[in-house]
Amino acid sequence: MVTRLESAAATRRALIDAGVRAASRAQEEFLSIVAAVVGPDETRRYGALLFTSAHGIAGTELSGHLTREKWDTTAEDIVGTLVAMTERRPG
């Protein structure tokens, strides 16, 4: 007989597994977009650069340290600049 606790644990595991699969699909889609811009040989390096930079930008904005008044820019502007720099990279 399955207890309520076992049932809840199974449901939680299923939800976590579904979340991991969705995140994996999103990561693969992200990397395919990066590959279209930088080519297959540079995909992971530039993907890591863009991902970690966006993560830091978002964290800085959420903490209140990235304000238009202080930096005369926004998180969206910085991400746009980063993407533009990636598109114009040498090579």
Side-chain angles (χ1 to χ4, degrees):
M1 182 172 154
V2 175
T3 67
R4 288 177 56 198
L5 183 58
E6 290 170 328
S7 178
T11 299
R12 182 172 184 262
R13 278 192 303 275
L15 290 172
I16 290 170
D17 289 346
V20 169
R21 286 190 305 276
S24 180
R25 286 190 307 272
Q27 181 181 17
E28 290 306 315
E29 180 64 24
F30 169 72
L31 289 174
S32 71
I33 293 167
V34 173
V37 175
V38 301
D41 294 340
E42 301 287 347
T43 299
R44 296 220 175 257
R45 182 166 63 114
Y46 278 93
L49 173 70
L50 292 166
F51 180 79
T52 58
S53 296
H55 186 271
I57 292 164
T60 305
E61 181 184 45
L62 287 171
S63 70
H65 294 288
L66 177 59
T67 63
R68 180 175 285 284
E69 296 76 27
K70 181 173 186 175
W71 297 104
D72 195 31
T73 193
T74 66
E76 292 83 6
D77 291 341
I78 296 169
V79 170
T81 299
L82 184 61
V83 169
M85 290 171 62
T86 301
E87 290 174 331
R88 293 190 306 263
R89 80 197 189 296

